[in-house]
Amino acid sequence: MVSNGKKVVQMFVALALFLSILASATNVSAQDENVLRVQTEVEIATLDPNIATDGTSMEAIAALQEGLMTRNQEGEFVEAAAESYEVSEDGTVYTFKLREDAVWSNGTAVTAHDFVFGWQRLADPATAAEYSFILDTAGVKNAAKVTAGEVDKSELGVVAVDDYTLEVTLEIATPYFLSLMAFSPLFPINEAFYESTDGQFATSPETIISNGAFVLTGYTPAGATTDLTKNPDYYDVDSVSLDGLRFQVIKDSQQAVLAYQTDQLDVTNISGEQVTLFSADPEFRSVEQGYMWFISPNQLNENIANTDLRLAIGKAYDREVISNNVLKDGSLPAAYFIPQLLADGPDGTDYRDVAGRDLMSSNAEEAQAHLEAAKEALGTDSFTLSLLIEDTEASINVAQSLEAQIEATLPGVDIQIEQTPKKNRLDRMREGDFDLGLTRWGPDYADPTTYLQLLITDSSYNDARYSNEQFDADYAAIQTGDLVLDPEARFAKMIEMEKLALSEGAVLPVYQAASAVLVKANADQIGFYTTGTPRIFKYAVKQ
């Protein structure tokens, strides 16, 4: 119970925080009314395209930089830094002709060498980039060998034929290759500028240059605000209506709504009761996302390594309660791992419609039966498990519901919520310093492998430490083996793989996210996407 004195202190702290946000935002709006002010729930962790792993950082990077491809106003993938491209008959060699009017914000030309350097740095084991796997996912020749340290990065299948011709060689034809060329880990990096930053690359406006719609004018890593200004040297500057962008971190949704209502924000997320309150407002939007939220059960914990305990937890909570009563933002209860509306099968049917939606059902009786089996196998009647979450309002609310439901369904199981900033959560899960982790994954491209690859034994994102030889073998077959050129068999195998993983409690799905958003009536043309970068602001307007 919180005392009245503590309540007063908390109220003053919240008021002080809001006044700080208000003063900061007022300064920006007074300087330039054509700046789009966007709330984010977490900090921008990094602006280094090779290092960023979260959607918020990737949104900012995509505003600053461009790859070979980008999305147009209709959401289609079109040429960006590349003016055109050709593909060999067997689909394994892509030759990109770069536009000669593209320059970095320091006046240096954007060349094929910048892509070679950026990709080689991404693959280099010395960089320790978590997204290095994306090169192998794209099918780039020798990517896996380079990231494993087996061959030098110069052996990567990317070559600058000349300043404006880039040749990419793949191990095998990759259907979604071009869509990945719009993804931030594969953006170019100018080597001379990178070397000039003396190890401080992309940590301040002085240590980053842009080839995209905006340039960086205000930023500190994990800071509360990030400011961007229109890039006058951008080749397509005529398509950019905004004079700038401001990303503002406000984790509490009530404070965010207050800032929105007092015209200090143009775009904000809302959740819980606020969705009900604003659902009839003409500025309300519900945006379906590809993000899957799930519990990652760390199998380094000897109790969680027991399959029955994982399945007991995964069946103990009602997903509809979380979606409909806690979030209330259009998010879908998910007893599956691969989201709907991600990818179609060979006959054009959505993957989820074929694979089914009830792969890990909420069932109290089954949960209790699995718990009894776990107790017998592990020789104990009680389990105390921490649930690591990030300190956002939605995560806290969902975690509290999970805690209450799991403990009510499973006698002897004690869930202890541990909240921390998102970056710390990610670091701890990567290091294996957790029991259960409430986490999410957004699809990088429109294929089920963007999720399945998380569960490969050696995947850098396999926080659960799940390992199954059959799963690994099947993944090799659908990516580089004899199923690659058999769409029907490949599709069927991916369905089998998802069912296998969930039958063993590799992950415990919770919900497929939707975003409840308020967007000012005078703001428009923000691109919302379910794959790759979640939001793109190049074409946004503020009237």
Side-chain angles (χ1 to χ4, degrees), residues 213-386:
F214 300 91
V215 295
L216 188 67
T217 51
Y219 170 73
T220 56
T225 59
T226 300
D227 292 314
L228 287 69
T229 303
K230 181 193 290 190
N231 181 2
D233 298 319
Y234 179 47
Y235 72 88
D236 196 23
V237 67
D238 291 343
S239 296
V240 183
S241 172
L242 295 174
D243 290 333
L245 280 170
R246 161 166 277 214
F247 294 98
Q248 175 72 56
V249 181
I250 308 178
K251 298 183 180 183
D252 182 84
S253 62
Q254 291 185 351
Q255 292 175 359
V257 168
L258 186 55
Y260 181 86
Q261 291 177 319
T262 53
D263 292 327
Q264 308 311 315
L265 288 173
D266 301 302
V267 184
T268 187
N269 295 315
I270 59 175
S271 61
E273 296 299 330
Q274 294 172 338
V275 179
T276 303
L277 183 63
F278 288 98
S279 60
D281 192 304
E283 296 182 348
F284 172 84
R285 296 182 62 177
S286 180
V287 181
E288 188 164 348
Q289 300 178 328
Y291 281 112
M292 291 297 302
W293 279 89
F294 54 94
I295 296 172
S296 182
N298 182 9
Q299 294 192 39
L300 293 180
N301 178 306
E302 61 179 357
N303 289 330
I304 295 173
N306 179 273
T307 301
D308 279 305
L309 182 59
R310 298 196 302 273
L311 292 176
I313 296 169
K315 291 175 174 287
Y317 51 89
D318 189 329
R319 294 161 172 84
E320 291 191 2
V321 167
I322 291 170
S323 295
N324 301 336
N325 299 350
V326 177
L327 295 167
K328 304 179 183 179
D329 57 3
S331 293
L332 301 172
Y336 50 82
F337 186 46
I338 295 170
Q340 66 179 35
L341 302 181
L342 169 71
D344 292 338
D347 65 353
T349 304
D350 184 78
Y351 172 92
R352 201 69 270 153
D353 289 335
V354 179
R357 288 175 169 78
D358 195 15
L359 306 188
M360 186 178 283
S361 59
S362 303
N363 188 305
E365 290 185 3
E366 291 182 6
Q368 291 162 3
H370 281 295
L371 178 62
E372 291 307 312
K375 288 179 176 179
E376 182 177 351
L378 295 168
T380 182
D381 289 328
S382 62
F383 302 93
T384 299
L385 303 171
S386 66

Side-chain angles (χ1 to χ4, degrees), residues 80-93:
E83 190 171 58
S84 63
Y85 63 88
E86 296 179 354
V87 189
S88 63
E89 287 189 12
D90 65 357
T92 62
V93 179

Side-chain angles (χ1 to χ4, degrees), residues 255-523:
Q255 292 175 359
V257 168
L258 186 55
Y260 181 86
Q261 291 177 319
T262 53
D263 292 327
Q264 308 311 315
L265 288 173
D266 301 302
V267 184
T268 187
N269 295 315
I270 59 175
S271 61
E273 296 299 330
Q274 294 172 338
V275 179
T276 303
L277 183 63
F278 288 98
S279 60
D281 192 304
E283 296 182 348
F284 172 84
R285 296 182 62 177
S286 180
V287 181
E288 188 164 348
Q289 300 178 328
Y291 281 112
M292 291 297 302
W293 279 89
F294 54 94
I295 296 172
S296 182
N298 182 9
Q299 294 192 39
L300 293 180
N301 178 306
E302 61 179 357
N303 289 330
I304 295 173
N306 179 273
T307 301
D308 279 305
L309 182 59
R310 298 196 302 273
L311 292 176
I313 296 169
K315 291 175 174 287
Y317 51 89
D318 189 329
R319 294 161 172 84
E320 291 191 2
V321 167
I322 291 170
S323 295
N324 301 336
N325 299 350
V326 177
L327 295 167
K328 304 179 183 179
D329 57 3
S331 293
L332 301 172
Y336 50 82
F337 186 46
I338 295 170
Q340 66 179 35
L341 302 181
L342 169 71
D344 292 338
D347 65 353
T349 304
D350 184 78
Y351 172 92
R352 201 69 270 153
D353 289 335
V354 179
R357 288 175 169 78
D358 195 15
L359 306 188
M360 186 178 283
S361 59
S362 303
N363 188 305
E365 290 185 3
E366 291 182 6
Q368 291 162 3
H370 281 295
L371 178 62
E372 291 307 312
K375 288 179 176 179
E376 182 177 351
L378 295 168
T380 182
D381 289 328
S382 62
F383 302 93
T384 299
L385 303 171
S386 66
L387 175 60
L388 184 65
I389 68 169
E390 58 199 49
D391 58 352
T392 60
E393 185 176 357
S395 289
I396 293 169
N397 291 341
V398 169
Q400 289 173 344
S401 179
L402 287 169
E403 175 190 27
Q405 292 192 65
I406 292 169
E407 290 183 350
T409 304
L410 302 177
V413 175
D414 178 23
I415 301 295
Q416 299 183 346
I417 297 173
E418 186 177 359
Q419 64 184 64
T420 185
K422 180 176 181 177
K423 185 178 186 303
N424 292 346
R425 175 183 68 76
L426 292 172
D427 289 343
R428 286 185 53 183
M429 292 183 69
R430 189 178 306 118
E431 294 163 2
D433 181 20
F434 72 104
D435 295 334
L436 304 170
L438 181 61
T439 188
R440 73 173 186 177
W441 185 260
D444 301 328
Y445 52 92
D447 188 82
T449 53
T450 191
Y451 283 90
L452 296 175
Q453 52 91 17
L454 301 181
L455 300 178
I456 306 166
T457 297
D458 295 327
S459 171
S460 58
Y461 284 96
N462 189 349
D463 295 328
R465 276 64 177 183
Y466 173 72
S467 181
N468 181 293
E469 291 183 4
Q470 183 62 55
F471 187 95
D472 292 347
D474 289 345
Y475 188 83
I478 63 172
Q479 282 295 86
T480 59
D482 52 4
L483 296 185
V484 171
L485 302 178
D486 188 340
E488 288 80 9
R490 181 177 185 270
F491 190 72
K493 182 58 69 176
M494 289 189 291
I495 292 174
E496 288 181 20
M497 292 173 67
E498 182 188 21
K499 290 179 178 177
L500 171 61
L502 291 188
S503 74
E504 296 187 331
V507 293
L508 313 178
V510 181
Y511 65 96
Q512 179 175 346
S515 180
V517 185
L518 294 177
V519 181
K520 291 290 186 181
N522 66 337

